[in-house]
Amino acid sequence: ISVVQHSERPAPNFYLNTYKTKEEVLRAINEMTPAGGRSLNTGSALKFMKDTILSEPYGSRSSLNVPQFLIVLAADRSVDNVKQPASDLKKEGVVPFGVGVKNADPEQIKTISQNPSLAFTVKEFSELKSILTLLSKTLTRCILKSKDIVFLLDDSDNTKDGFSAIKHFVKNIVETLYVRIALALYSNKTKIYFNLNDHSSKKAVLNAIRGLQHKGGKLRNTGAALKYVQEHLFKTSSGSRFLEKVPQILFLLTGGKSSDTVSSAAIDLKQGGALPFAIGMKNAEQGELQEIAFSSRFLFNLPEFGDLLSIQPQIAKFIQKDIQTELPSIVGKMHQI
């Protein structure tokens, strides 16, 4: 825990690594007094949180993939702009909650928050206790929503014209979620682009995705690629948290029929506890996608590469909320491993 007051400028009360126990933190909070100030610069305070408070020298454990949460409480409209600093925080993988009191601008509070469901407003300070339970439950749900996601992208010659659409889809999914990400490309052979534990921030993942280049290959060995991903990416040594019962999700994006058989590899992947999405484009074969997908809700077959963007909001919502209904059967499988 860290606490920072802000008005014209931010004033830290203590940092993430100042205290070791909850008792010490509570004692420090009880001894706090208002720092004071005439105006409110929440934008510059958000930048300070990103650059200083949520950095490794001051106790952040983002490099260990520990989720980073920020609760921003404001009682007035910010004088400076909050949009860019809030966006920069989110790109670093921080999940901000906004709490507005008295004269706080509700739109600014929503802009600061990760999404509108993490924005809270009350009229009086005495009403803060009324949102405490909801805020606590929401924070707990966010912590429990951790997921490991692997993207397996068809890099064969036939996807060259649609590769920019595939990259854009992956980038959009990553931007909407707070998860660990890995990415692999396949055609004749499978190549890991980065592991689940290679990047500690969303910004680093997005930068890596921007640098992704299409290589090409005559074959499309989807079965071998599924087997390779299970053996090399869904492993604790590569950053997988399946032993902690974190959902293991695979996105297969393919532009045609596989050059090899997929049945055995798909069955092994699912029995190993993974949730595969099968997203086909152009010449993908429906029956093959059905073999790979965890269920019908995990299957999409699109006529064109450009249609990927049309399903992105639906998939993001499913991963964030509805996928929880699929987990009981997965947990059963994971217990069998």
Side-chain angles (χ1 to χ4, degrees):
I1 300 288
S2 170
V3 174
V4 177
Q5 297 184 52
H6 78 288
S7 51
E8 286 96 347
R9 60 186 62 84
N13 285 90
F14 52 89
Y15 300 95
L16 290 166
N17 54 4
T18 302
Y19 299 115
K20 304 288 187 188
T21 67
K22 183 184 290 187
E23 289 72 22
E24 290 175 309
V25 169
L26 291 172
R27 189 181 306 115
I29 292 170
N30 287 331
E31 294 172 356
M32 280 170 48
T33 57
R38 295 185 177 182
S39 61
L40 191 66
N41 290 321
T42 306
S44 63
L46 292 174
K47 185 177 186 302
F48 178 79
M49 298 304 291
K50 178 180 76 72
D51 295 342
T52 304
I53 300 298
L54 293 165
S55 66
E56 196 166 336
Y58 291 93
S60 170
R61 294 173 292 166
S62 61
S63 63
L64 302 176
N65 289 296
V66 174
Q68 308 289 287
F69 296 100
L70 172 66
I71 299 175
V72 180
L73 193 150
D76 208 342
R77 178 179 175 81
S78 177
V79 175
D80 62 358
N81 192 282
V82 301
K83 186 175 181 179
Q84 189 59 53
S87 176
D88 292 342
L89 262 173
K90 296 168 194 174
K91 286 178 182 176
E92 289 292 328
V94 179
V95 179
F97 289 65
V99 180
V101 192
K102 300 284 280 188
N103 300 318
D105 182 342
E107 291 305 313
Q108 282 190 340
I109 297 299
K110 288 180 183 177
T111 299
I112 291 167
S113 304
Q114 181 75 12
N115 59 59
S117 70
L118 304 188
F120 304 84
T121 55
V122 294
K123 291 183 178 180
E124 302 294 337
F125 292 106
S126 59
E127 296 174 29
L128 281 172
K129 60 185 178 183
S130 69
I131 66 167
L132 183 59
T133 300
L134 178 58
L135 181 62
S136 178
K137 286 182 178 179
T138 306
L139 181 59
T140 301
R141 283 200 302 271
C142 286
I143 293 170
L144 294 176
K145 281 182 180 177
S146 295
K147 297 174 181 70
D148 294 338
I149 294 182
V150 174
F151 288 95
L152 180 58
L153 310 182
D154 182 350
D155 192 37
S156 64
D157 292 340
N158 292 337
T159 62
K160 183 177 180 180
D161 293 340
F163 202 70
S164 62
I166 291 173
K167 275 179 62 173
H168 197 44
F169 172 81
V170 173
K171 180 179 77 70
N172 283 357
I173 291 292
V174 171
E175 284 180 337
T176 60
L177 302 172
Y178 186 85
V179 293
R180 284 192 190 179
I181 302 290
L183 192 148
L185 303 169
Y186 81 98
S187 53
N188 302 43
K189 295 182 179 181
T190 306
K191 182 180 179 181
I192 295 173
Y193 190 60
F194 55 84
N195 291 291
L196 288 163
N197 54 4
D198 281 349
H199 299 298
S200 60
S201 72
K202 185 183 292 187
K203 183 178 180 180
V205 171
L206 291 170
N207 285 338
I209 293 168
R210 290 188 191 99
L212 191 60
Q213 298 293 323
H214 186 270
K215 302 295 184 185
K218 292 183 179 180
L219 300 178
R220 181 187 290 110
N221 290 322
T222 307
L226 293 173
K227 186 174 186 291
Y228 189 90
V229 161
Q230 183 183 11
E231 292 177 349
H232 295 87
L233 284 176
F234 287 121
K235 295 293 181 183
T236 53
S237 58
S238 298
S240 170
R241 296 170 292 174
F242 74 95
L243 292 177
E244 301 166 44
K245 303 199 170 43
V246 171
Q248 307 289 287
I249 299 171
L250 172 70
F251 278 102
L252 168 72
L253 281 81
T254 182
K257 179 176 169 56
S258 178
S259 304
D260 61 357
T261 60
V262 303
S263 299
S264 178
I267 290 170
D268 289 345
L269 191 68
K270 285 178 269 193
Q271 287 182 341
L275 288 157
F277 281 84
I279 302 176
M281 300 149 289
K282 296 287 283 189
N283 302 313
E285 189 177 81
Q286 181 74 8
E288 199 169 79
L289 297 176
Q290 288 173 339
E291 285 188 282
I292 297 168
F294 182 75
S295 72
S296 59
R297 296 192 70 185
F298 291 71
L299 191 156
F300 299 84
N301 201 355
L302 309 171
E304 301 293 337
F305 292 108
D307 295 330
L308 278 169
L309 295 184
S310 68
I311 64 170
Q312 182 263 320
Q314 178 185 350
I315 288 179
K317 177 180 177 295
F318 182 49
I319 294 174
Q320 289 172 318
K321 297 179 181 180
D322 301 339
I323 206 170
Q324 300 301 324
T325 61
E326 305 282 346
L327 292 184
S329 58
I330 291 298
V331 171
K333 289 176 183 177
M334 291 174 74
H335 280 309
Q336 295 170 12
I337 299 174

